[in-house]
Amino acid sequence: MSYYRFVSASLLGVLAVPALVQPAYAALTTEQVGDIATAITVRIETPTLKGSGVLVGVDGEVYTVLTAYHVVKNRNSRQIKLITPDGERYSLVPNSIRQLGRFDLAVVQFRSRIRYSVADVTSSQGLKLGKTVYVAGFPMP
């Protein structure tokens, strides 16, 4: 299953860090957008680097996370831990790291029986200069 298939080339640039880009979000308050971002953003930890990603799909118990490729490239999948919004820690599904094109984007997968929210990924064709875009992640210390 390819939940990231619908991500257009222009949206990929916006999602260099996880972003919520959908016209329906414009009607929400910033607090509501923050609640959504909190529910779909995961921390990613490796022995030498920390990053974040966004839950973009689920197929049964397998979740797909979109993240920056530089966070996971050249890493053994056993070294990478995903921390979900409820604080649970997960290992990656072996060999699930896939770079998206030549962009600094990748998808990774993990398994969980717990139900998590996933982002509504949509086309960015309607995005224009001056439109509001919300970006979520974890700040570096």
Side-chain angles (χ1 to χ4, degrees):
M1 186 137 70
S2 300
Y3 288 95
Y4 60 88
R5 180 183 320 154
F6 302 106
V7 179
S8 70
S10 56
L11 180 58
L12 293 177
V14 174
L15 284 174
V17 290
L20 300 172
V21 181
Q22 188 167 8
Y25 292 136
L28 300 177
T29 67
T30 54
E31 290 81 13
Q32 291 169 317
V33 172
D35 290 343
I36 293 168
T38 299
I40 63 174
T41 303
V42 298
R43 262 188 337 209
I44 300 173
E45 294 182 355
T46 73
T48 58
L49 190 62
K50 293 182 181 178
S52 57
V54 63
L55 293 160
V56 294
V58 60
D59 184 9
E61 294 181 353
V62 178
Y63 284 86
T64 301
V65 175
L66 178 67
T67 188
Y69 182 60
H70 71 267
V71 173
V72 294
K73 81 174 183 180
N74 301 326
R75 307 252 191 268
N76 180 318
S77 61
R78 288 176 288 167
Q79 295 177 317
I80 299 170
K81 298 295 179 209
L82 300 176
I83 298 94
T84 51
D86 59 358
E88 294 292 322
R89 298 176 68 86
Y90 295 96
S91 298
L92 295 188
V93 170
N95 303 312
S96 71
I97 300 170
R98 292 196 323 258
Q99 184 176 11
L100 301 180
R102 294 183 183 180
F103 299 100
D104 184 26
L105 288 170
V107 289
V108 298
Q109 295 181 317
F110 71 96
R111 290 184 193 282
S112 176
R113 291 184 178 170
I114 298 172
R115 288 278 151 244
Y116 295 107
S117 297
V118 297
D120 293 326
V121 179
T122 186
S123 172
S124 63
Q125 297 301 317
L127 270 183
K128 296 196 183 327
L129 188 60
K131 293 279 186 174
T132 301
V133 176
Y134 294 95
V135 179
F138 291 91
M140 299 292 278

